[in-house]
Amino acid sequence: MYQAKIFFLLVWIVISLQIISQNQTISINTANTSLIMSVNKNKLYHNYYGRRIADIPEYKQILNFKHESFRYEAYPVFGGNYIEEPAMRVTHTDGNLSLCLHVQDVQQKEIDQNRTETIIKLKDAYYPFNVSLKFSAFHKQDIIESSVMFNHEENGDVKIHNVASFFMQFDKRKNYLTQFHGDWGNEMMMKEHLLTEGVKILDSKQGVRTTRTQNPSFIISFDQPAHEDMGEVMMGHIAWSGNWNLLFQLTHEGRLNMLGGINPFASQYSLKKGELFETPKAIYTYSSEGTGRASRNFHSWAREYTIPEGKRFRPVLLNNWEGTLFDFDQKKIASIIDGAKDLGVEMFVLDDAWFGNKYPRNDEKNGLGDWEVNKTKLPGGIKFLTDKCKSNNLKFGIWVEPEMVNPNSELFKKHPDWVIQQPHRTIEQNRWQYILDLTNLNVQEFIFSVIDNLLTQNPDIYFIKWDANRHIMNAGTSNLPPDLQEHIWIDYTRGFYKILDRIKQKYPQIIFQSCASGGGRVEYGALKYFHEFWTSDNTDAYQRIFIQWGLSHLYPANTIASHVTSVPNHQNGRVTPIKYRFDVAMSGRLGVEMQPDHMTADEKAFTKQAIRNYYEIRDVVQSGDLYRLRSPFGNNVASLMYVSDAGDKAVFFVWQMNRTVGMNPEPIRLKGLIPEAKYKITEINTLNTTPKSFVATGDFLMKSGFIITTSKWASDAANTISFLTDFDSEVYKIEQVK
Ligand code: DGJ
């Protein structure tokens, strides 16, 4: 055993030395991409990221040539001759503002057949300051995760001003940036523009709910605007639930530099001697087959390696929020549970307003923080409801918002110092609530115990919806000394992760949903803990098509909670037919927020049918490959489909966006099918019409496809979709005929 260890150590050292001394080229390859760096006179240079380079030795000669004339550091730091936006900036204990990093060691190892890990160790030329760049490459998914670890042995604290999780650069090209911008109820709107000289920053300074107005993701399309199936794109993301930033700089030479990670804004960090700091991960992929392939790379990586139980099917649920808001009691909920059973869902989720006694949670202004069941509303406690669900063969889920507190709560009266606040300033309220100070260990303990008590006292809880309905204002904490106040942003997020780590360790079987006023916490830092997210408080089906479209670029369908509500919804959304609402929601993780007692017989009948249909297509939707067929942005018709791994099953969705009589949208051609296979195509979710059904080859469906018309005279062909009224839509199940 001991000898074997020594042997492996020696092999390791030999490989490392070879990389540095003899080869000096570091290539990180996936199935279709290469990231190439090189070491020259102890410095680490970036050479290439893009389509896979087949012949690295030959490429090396070119690299050597390039070294003579160009020197682009792979992780440029502030203080030397580098004059653009640096990846890292620190102040040493003696006041020196500079870093000068030299390569010490390069290690590459295979984790398993699909994953390699590369660690490049750097050290300052003078100071005992060490930086390790870590790259995990996922072969099949063409994904690279990059993060940075550093520590020092200086006598005192080194001040960290900024440290990027990744730094990437590209030679002069045209670069089109797509960002995922929006607002509450209008998350993930896609905007694309040509980058011009200078710096463009995407970021969040909100501390919590950091994806409400902007998602920490981007697409850079090279040479031309991004296309679904063609062209070269890089898609990237920062997995961090706190303040993040992404910076794109087009230099005076026309090169593109990009970097991102924790937002350095008001966030200087004092690093103690010996303390290890690890940045969040940046995740990126490069595709030469457009954004479609890049998304599929992200989805496959997420399901396989990041989100909890990525391949476990998410239950169809009924949540009472839009049906009742704050207004319910035990009788009403019991009746909703019966209704949920009748509709055919698998789980009931009790939302906000089940707690608080001295300050009953009957509106947004009271009770947050007092996590005991409201005895007037629910005299039988949660047990009554879990039993009720059990007897109906339903799972039970419950809503919490444990990071928050209302001033009108027993918790706040007892612990006014537990909230985020600054001396001599009024504490700002947002949704009538304050935010608890997660840098404080007592607060962390309290939040853990809230969940722990809930789950130990109610072992039949299956699902937790974890909400967070405000962002940080008055950033300040009585928990940290005056000179460390800027730590609040990072320490809050670390506190959040610590709590979740503990909870997940103790309760690995519970399904967690991330919610933050809708899609305010949708990023892969949180998705390490949360199985899915509440997509948006806006359940207007028409607008959801845009929101879900944006999300689909980064997140697989099994994370996108998509619920059907009554119309107009509580935000006074559009009045769309129930079929349209289901046809949209069924392209994600289906749920219902209608109050069964208020539904008509027709609505119930359709809902039951649609939920039954969903069970038949769930495996393909939740684990299949996504092909976006037509974007809702700028088109009259939007469409996407999912295809099973084997290509033998698919589901095809098509939604009308704007109906203009006489419009003739281009046919929609399917993708991802087996050309020579024969498929049976069956319409589902039909409303008063006979479902269409026909057989065609994959070749036909992908080359000829479906004709879309708004005229009832246009065509009787089986592959015709006639959109004759507003908010029309169709869904097809596609199965290979063997
Ligand atoms: C905001 C969430 O997005 C809603 O779904 C709901 O849970 C409310 N909070 C409850 O207060």
Side-chain angles (χ1 to χ4, degrees):
M1 187 65 191
Y2 181 67
Q3 281 167 335
K5 267 192 189 160
I6 299 225
F7 174 75
F8 281 119
L9 191 70
L10 287 175
V11 171
W12 185 257
I13 291 169
V14 170
I15 293 176
S16 306
L17 290 177
Q18 271 185 352
I19 289 175
I20 300 191
S21 58
Q22 169 219 44
N23 188 336
Q24 304 199 330
T25 302
I26 306 162
S27 53
I28 299 173
N29 291 316
T30 63
N32 302 296
T33 70
S34 293
L35 169 60
I36 302 179
M37 288 169 275
S38 55
V39 183
N40 194 296
K41 296 189 184 112
N42 286 334
K43 287 276 195 182
L44 181 70
Y45 294 101
H46 170 88
N47 297 97
Y48 175 84
Y49 179 51
R51 279 186 289 172
R52 182 161 174 157
I53 302 277
D55 191 346
I56 302 292
E58 183 191 315
Y59 191 77
K60 205 185 127 201
Q61 292 168 13
I62 300 165
L63 286 182
N64 288 339
F65 165 71
K66 276 186 111 180
H67 284 157
E68 303 307 317
S69 38
F70 300 100
R71 286 179 189 276
Y72 299 115
E73 286 191 41
Y75 196 73
V77 289
F78 177 72
N81 58 3
Y82 185 72
I83 50 166
E84 314 291 0
E85 201 65 39
M88 191 169 197
R89 184 166 79 83
V90 310
T91 303
H92 295 280
T93 44
D94 63 1
N96 188 336
L97 300 177
S98 71
L99 274 170
C100 173
L101 297 180
H102 284 173
V103 178
Q104 300 292 301
D105 181 30
V106 180
Q107 300 177 354
Q108 247 179 351
K109 67 173 169 192
E110 239 180 49
I111 305 286
D112 56 32
Q113 280 195 332
N114 195 45
R115 288 180 294 169
T116 57
E117 185 182 276
T118 305
I119 295 185
I120 304 170
K121 289 193 176 156
L122 306 147
K123 190 177 166 309
D124 190 274
Y126 175 82
Y127 292 90
F129 192 94
N130 313 303
V131 177
S132 293
L133 309 181
K134 181 172 163 189
F135 301 88
S136 304
F138 298 77
H139 184 80
K140 191 173 136 223
Q141 289 79 12
D142 289 328
I143 289 268
I144 294 179
E145 290 178 358
S146 138
S147 60
V148 178
M149 289 163 290
F150 55 97
N151 63 6
H152 71 86
E153 292 299 327
E154 297 183 34
N155 287 323
D157 292 357
V158 173
K159 295 191 179 69
I160 312 299
H161 305 290
N162 76 287
V163 50
S165 298
F166 84 110
F167 190 94
M168 186 55 73
Q169 44 197 306
F170 291 96
D171 290 334
K172 190 170 184 172
R173 278 168 108 165
K174 273 191 182 144
N175 309 288
Y176 292 84
L177 169 70
T178 298
Q179 61 192 86
F180 299 88
H181 208 85
D183 201 345
W184 171 87
N186 194 32
E187 295 89 346
M188 293 299 280
M189 293 300 112
M190 295 175 67
K191 307 240 162 81
E192 183 176 48
H193 66 268
L194 181 68
L195 283 174
T196 53
E197 284 76 3
V199 170
K200 161 103 186 177
I201 295 177
L202 310 176
D203 78 343
S204 168
K205 301 186 182 74
Q206 303 182 31
V208 172
R209 219 167 54 163
T210 56
T211 68
R212 193 172 57 119
T213 51
Q214 178 108 252
N215 193 270
S217 306
F218 68 90
I219 302 170
I220 292 287
S221 177
F222 300 100
D223 309 326
Q224 59 193 346
H227 187 283
E228 245 343 274
D229 306 302
M230 292 178 294
E232 297 189 28
V233 299
M234 174 177 169
M235 190 182 278
H237 179 86
I238 303 296
W240 178 243
S241 307
N243 290 347
W244 57 269
N245 89 336
L246 281 163
L247 189 147
F248 305 84
Q249 178 168 33
L250 209 58
T251 69
H252 60 284
E253 311 153 292
R255 286 175 65 80
L256 173 65
N257 291 347
M258 47 179 125
L259 59 140
I262 293 175
N263 194 341
F265 175 78
S267 197
Q268 179 182 287
Y269 203 88
S270 297
L271 192 70
K272 291 193 181 55
K273 183 177 180 173
E275 183 184 342
L276 182 71
F277 191 109
E278 190 166 356
T279 68
K281 286 175 189 161
I283 301 125
Y284 47 85
T285 187
Y286 194 95
S287 153
S288 54
E289 294 165 42
T291 48
R293 161 70 51 210
S295 293
R296 289 189 288 281
N297 291 347
F298 257 88
H299 297 172
S300 162
W301 161 85
R303 280 195 286 247
E304 191 100 18
Y305 297 105
T306 298
I307 51 175
E309 303 177 281
K311 294 185 172 168
R312 171 179 172 188
F313 294 145
R314 277 44 175 161
V316 175
L317 61 89
L318 185 144
N319 175 308
N320 70 301
W321 176 246
E322 286 211 22
T324 66
L325 299 178
F326 292 91
D327 178 21
F328 61 79
D329 58 16
Q330 188 163 292
K331 199 166 150 230
K332 201 187 255 186
I333 295 295
S335 167
I336 291 176
I337 292 174
D338 287 335
K341 166 73 186 165
D342 180 48
L343 294 177
V345 303
E346 295 162 310
M347 177 162 70
F348 166 74
V349 178
L350 180 64
D351 212 277
D352 196 351
W354 56 267
F355 50 89
N357 284 299
K358 184 159 180 201
Y359 300 93
R361 179 78 172 163
N362 294 329
D363 56 28
E364 292 151 315
K365 297 179 184 162
N366 291 288
L368 212 49
D370 300 343
W371 299 102
E372 302 92 37
V373 174
N374 180 297
K375 295 196 180 85
T376 318
K377 281 183 181 170
L378 302 173
I382 292 171
K383 171 113 181 44
F384 172 85
L385 300 177
T386 52
D387 284 351
K388 176 87 191 152
C389 282
K390 235 180 178 174
S391 64
N392 275 304
N393 203 17
L394 292 176
K395 307 275 187 224
F396 178 83
I398 195 161
W399 178 97
V400 289
E401 193 182 0
E403 296 157 82
M404 307 289 165
V405 62
N406 286 125
N408 285 343
S409 68
E410 293 183 73
L411 181 71
F412 182 68
K413 309 286 177 213
K414 204 165 150 202
H415 296 292
D417 56 320
W418 276 13
V419 305
I420 286 180
Q421 57 191 294
Q422 297 156 331
H424 320 300
R425 306 278 181 240
T426 310
I427 316 176
E428 298 290 340
Q429 291 187 24
N430 197 213
R431 209 197 188 207
W432 292 279
Q433 64 201 48
Y434 297 147
I435 182 157
L436 291 174
D437 182 357
L438 267 63
T439 70
N440 183 330
L441 291 180
N442 294 327
V443 172
Q444 291 178 18
E445 190 57 42
F446 166 77
I447 296 179
F448 173 77
S449 69
V450 167
I451 307 296
D452 193 30
N453 291 341
L454 199 59
L455 293 176
T456 42
Q457 286 161 22
N458 304 285
D460 289 321
I461 291 178
Y462 190 81
F463 173 103
I464 287 190
K465 173 176 178 181
W466 181 305
D467 205 346
N469 284 300
R470 66 162 291 179
H471 47 271
I472 294 180
M473 295 185 277
N474 304 113
T477 161
S478 53
N479 185 50
L480 291 167
D483 59 328
L484 298 184
Q485 288 294 302
E486 291 196 18
H487 282 207
I488 187 168
W489 307 106
I490 292 177
D491 287 0
Y492 183 99
T493 309
R494 287 181 173 169
F496 173 63
Y497 290 154
K498 265 201 222 157
I499 299 166
L500 287 166
D501 275 327
R502 269 179 87 186
I503 296 173
K504 296 293 288 188
Q505 218 167 18
K506 189 158 178 195
Y507 301 102
Q509 77 285 6
I510 303 288
I511 299 183
F512 280 83
Q513 182 189 72
S514 160
C515 174
S517 314
R521 205 177 241 162
V522 178
E523 40 74 32
Y524 280 111
L527 284 172
K528 183 178 158 207
Y529 303 97
F530 294 92
H531 291 66
E532 58 170 50
F533 48 81
W534 179 227
T535 302
S536 174
D537 276 344
N538 188 351
T539 49
D540 174 333
Y542 175 84
Q543 241 177 308
R544 269 298 186 100
I545 295 173
F546 293 94
I547 297 171
Q548 293 173 193
W549 191 267
L551 286 165
S552 78
H553 283 77
L554 279 302
Y555 309 100
N558 63 347
T559 59
I560 304 178
S562 190
H563 296 181
V564 175
T565 60
S566 54
V567 286
N569 63 8
H570 73 311
Q571 310 293 352
N572 210 19
R574 287 172 185 75
V575 177
T576 51
I578 193 158
K579 170 171 165 53
Y580 193 74
R581 281 174 273 152
F582 268 99
D583 285 359
V584 172
M586 281 168 66
S587 66
R589 198 279 283 133
L590 177 66
V592 174
E593 287 201 30
M594 292 177 285
Q595 151 56 299
D597 294 331
H598 300 165
M599 291 168 73
T600 64
D602 283 352
E603 281 174 334
K604 280 190 179 168
F606 185 83
T607 300
K608 286 182 200 179
Q609 185 216 135
I611 290 173
R612 273 199 308 273
N613 289 336
Y614 187 74
Y615 293 134
E616 283 190 30
I617 61 169
R618 172 164 54 181
D619 59 337
V620 183
V621 171
Q622 293 195 6
S623 66
D625 276 339
L626 167 72
Y627 291 87
R628 285 180 295 260
L629 304 176
R630 188 152 310 153
S631 168
F633 293 94
N635 290 308
N636 288 330
V637 166
S639 176
L640 56 78
M641 68 185 289
Y642 298 97
V643 183
S644 67
D645 251 9
D648 59 341
K649 288 195 262 174
V651 188
F652 163 52
F653 296 87
V654 52
W655 310 289
Q656 184 178 185
M657 305 308 294
N658 291 305
R659 200 172 82 89
T660 315
V661 174
M663 75 171 185
N664 290 308
E666 287 162 38
I668 295 183
R669 297 175 186 92
L670 305 196
K671 296 177 190 168
L673 300 173
I674 305 165
E676 57 279 10
K678 266 195 178 168
Y679 293 94
K680 182 168 182 221
I681 299 103
T682 315
E683 191 185 2
I684 59 168
N685 288 359
T686 48
L687 190 70
N688 311 324
T689 54
T690 321
K692 278 178 266 178
S693 176
F694 62 100
V695 174
T697 59
D699 195 49
F700 174 86
L701 293 167
M702 293 194 288
K703 288 182 180 157
S704 184
F706 283 81
I707 299 160
I708 313 284
T709 173
T710 49
S711 159
K712 60 181 172 184
W713 293 292
S715 160
D716 280 334
N719 62 332
T720 300
I721 293 172
S722 307
F723 283 153
L724 302 181
T725 58
D726 288 339
F727 304 117
D728 238 341
S729 55
E730 291 190 3
V731 182
Y732 291 87
K733 195 168 75 177
I734 299 173
E735 290 159 311
Q736 189 177 354
V737 190
K738 296 235 165 113

